[in-house]
Amino acid sequence: HWLIDAGGESLGGDVGEQLLIPALERLGVTRLHTLVLTHPDPDHVLGAPAVVRTLLPREMWDNGQGAAEGAHEAYHLALEEAVRTGATVRRTPAICGQHNIGGTRVRVLHPCHDPIGYDPSLEPNDNSIALSIEWRGARVLLTGDLEREGEELLVDGGADLSATLLKLGHHGSRTSSTRALLQAVRPLVAVGSAGRW
């Protein structure tokens, strides 16, 4: 079992303890193989410390920007928990490329253009880890919070970005999902988060 990001704010408590862990346990998930933190923004990491402490992932992946440049306290607590519980912390660019896991092909596509694992000239959103996950002929492209600059780098990287389902970058905001990316992906379905109407 893998978890990509670990949620943001919940109403007055720990999103990991209150929402993520109970939801995963209802699905029968009691341990994680890998927790991927696409980037260190609070709305992606607030639940991570509780998830690491409770579901004991074998590995935690990130791009290293939060460790190098500073990030929300939850990000640092998640790293501390990972070390304490014996998880292996792996980062871009070492995780870039293809991983075959139980019949599933996971490709780390971004940020793989910079030797330190992220581009210091870019904001955290544009350094989000982008993943292509393929299983039984269906492909999902997860773009974290990539915005225009990050999407341009992803498209210019030359990888096959076609996907059945696209998780829209930056929660589906107008700063993401550029024409070039959509033409490269050609998704049948696109998913974005939305607040209450």
Side-chain angles (χ1 to χ4, degrees), residues 19-116:
L19 300 174
L20 284 174
I21 295 166
L24 290 167
E25 288 175 345
R26 281 193 297 275
L27 293 170
V29 177
T30 57
R31 292 288 304 267
L32 287 176
H33 182 281
T34 303
L35 169 62
V36 179
L37 298 179
T38 61
H39 64 296
D41 281 356
D43 60 329
H44 293 256
V45 302
L46 285 180
V51 166
V52 173
R53 186 171 50 251
T54 305
L55 300 179
L56 303 171
R58 287 186 210 163
E59 295 187 0
M60 189 167 94
W61 291 8
D62 85 329
N63 65 18
Q65 187 171 17
E69 297 182 0
H72 190 277
E73 179 185 13
Y75 169 83
H76 297 290
L77 289 173
L79 286 177
E80 289 173 13
E81 286 292 335
V83 170
R84 186 186 66 76
T85 59
T88 301
V89 177
R90 299 182 67 201
R91 295 193 162 118
T92 51
I95 59 172
C96 290
Q98 184 169 310
H99 309 265
N100 295 309
I101 300 150
T104 301
R105 183 173 74 158
V106 177
R107 290 181 300 141
V108 178
L109 305 171
H110 183 81
C112 297
H113 62 283
D114 196 289
I116 66 169

Side-chain angles (χ1 to χ4, degrees), residues 77-156:
L77 289 173
L79 286 177
E80 289 173 13
E81 286 292 335
V83 170
R84 186 186 66 76
T85 59
T88 301
V89 177
R90 299 182 67 201
R91 295 193 162 118
T92 51
I95 59 172
C96 290
Q98 184 169 310
H99 309 265
N100 295 309
I101 300 150
T104 301
R105 183 173 74 158
V106 177
R107 290 181 300 141
V108 178
L109 305 171
H110 183 81
C112 297
H113 62 283
D114 196 289
I116 66 169
Y118 67 94
D119 186 333
S121 71
L122 296 176
E123 294 296 322
N125 285 347
D126 282 316
N127 277 311
S128 290
I129 292 176
L131 300 168
S132 172
I133 302 171
E134 187 172 356
W135 183 72
R136 294 189 179 180
R139 190 181 293 169
V140 175
L141 182 64
L142 305 172
T143 60
D145 271 358
L146 287 184
E147 297 181 275
R148 285 183 184 92
E149 288 183 82
E151 288 182 357
E152 285 175 16
L153 288 166
L154 182 61
V155 170
D156 291 347

Side-chain angles (χ1 to χ4, degrees), residues 174-189:
R174 73 183 82 183
T175 61
S176 299
S177 306
T178 58
R179 181 178 302 276
L181 180 74
L182 294 175
Q183 288 175 339
V185 179
R186 300 178 312 280
L188 296 176
V189 178

